[in-house]
Amino acid sequence: MKKWILIIIGIILIGIIGIGIKINSDLNELAEVFNSEHSLNEPNLIILTDSISPNKKHKYYEYQFDKGGLGYSRIFWSVIENNKKENDLGKGLIPEGYKIVGWSDKNELILSKWNPTSELKTVSELKNGTIINGMKINIAE
């Protein structure tokens, strides 16, 4: 009788360990999705809009990531140089708490305050004239 109990407990423990390993593996994959690289080469990148500056030197992107069964990430904005070699959206990532509205006639990026979630605790304070990836920005009120 004691042997059977030990065998059953052993099988249950092996099952629990197997399930734990599977969950850990799935969580690692999930972490990769959340930490997606901000790059135009990212396979899960979904570009919502893009716009070239009036002088054609810079381009901004409004984008998010496809998280598979979890849906989509929040929306991000980035401004980069407008050339075929530049793919790193992380260089010109707009700080949390702001979104790109458009371009001014002076080739300046116009931003407005934006709260992506009600949980946002760290809001960057940008000022008119701040330079992000070579672009001068203006904050619309």
Side-chain angles (χ1 to χ4, degrees):
M1 181 72 165
K2 288 184 182 182
K3 282 185 181 180
W4 285 106
I5 292 175
L6 291 175
I7 292 172
I8 292 172
I9 290 174
I11 292 171
I12 290 172
L13 287 175
I14 290 171
I16 290 172
I17 291 170
I19 291 171
I21 291 170
K22 174 68 173 143
I23 289 173
N24 187 36
S25 171
D26 290 346
L27 288 176
N28 287 339
E29 290 175 16
L30 182 61
E32 283 182 29
V33 170
F34 279 111
N35 296 323
S36 294
E37 182 181 339
H38 290 262
S39 169
L40 291 174
N41 299 328
E42 172 67 35
N44 297 324
L45 179 77
I46 299 170
I47 296 174
L48 303 172
T49 60
D50 59 3
S51 176
I52 298 173
S53 64
N55 68 1
K56 312 278 191 249
K57 290 184 179 181
H58 288 83
K59 188 173 192 177
Y60 78 75
Y61 292 91
E62 177 181 358
Y63 61 96
Q64 62 187 159
F65 296 100
D66 183 353
K67 296 181 182 178
L70 298 174
Y72 299 98
S73 70
R74 76 167 183 89
I75 298 173
F76 296 92
W77 288 267
S78 181
V79 60
I80 60 174
E81 290 182 29
N82 185 26
N83 63 42
K84 294 184 180 183
K85 294 179 183 177
E86 182 63 62
N87 290 324
D88 186 5
L89 294 171
K91 287 181 180 178
L93 194 60
I94 302 301
E96 285 189 33
Y98 293 90
K99 68 177 184 173
I100 295 176
V101 177
W103 299 103
S104 74
D105 295 336
K106 298 177 183 177
N107 293 306
E108 296 173 342
L109 206 52
I110 301 171
L111 304 182
S112 68
K113 289 191 177 193
W114 178 71
N115 190 357
T117 66
S118 59
E119 306 273 327
L120 186 62
K121 292 179 176 61
T122 57
V123 176
S124 302
E125 284 299 322
L126 294 177
K127 297 179 180 169
N128 284 333
T130 301
I131 305 292
I132 297 178
N133 200 23
M135 276 307 312
K136 186 175 180 181
I137 63 163
N138 283 321
I139 310 297
E141 297 300 324

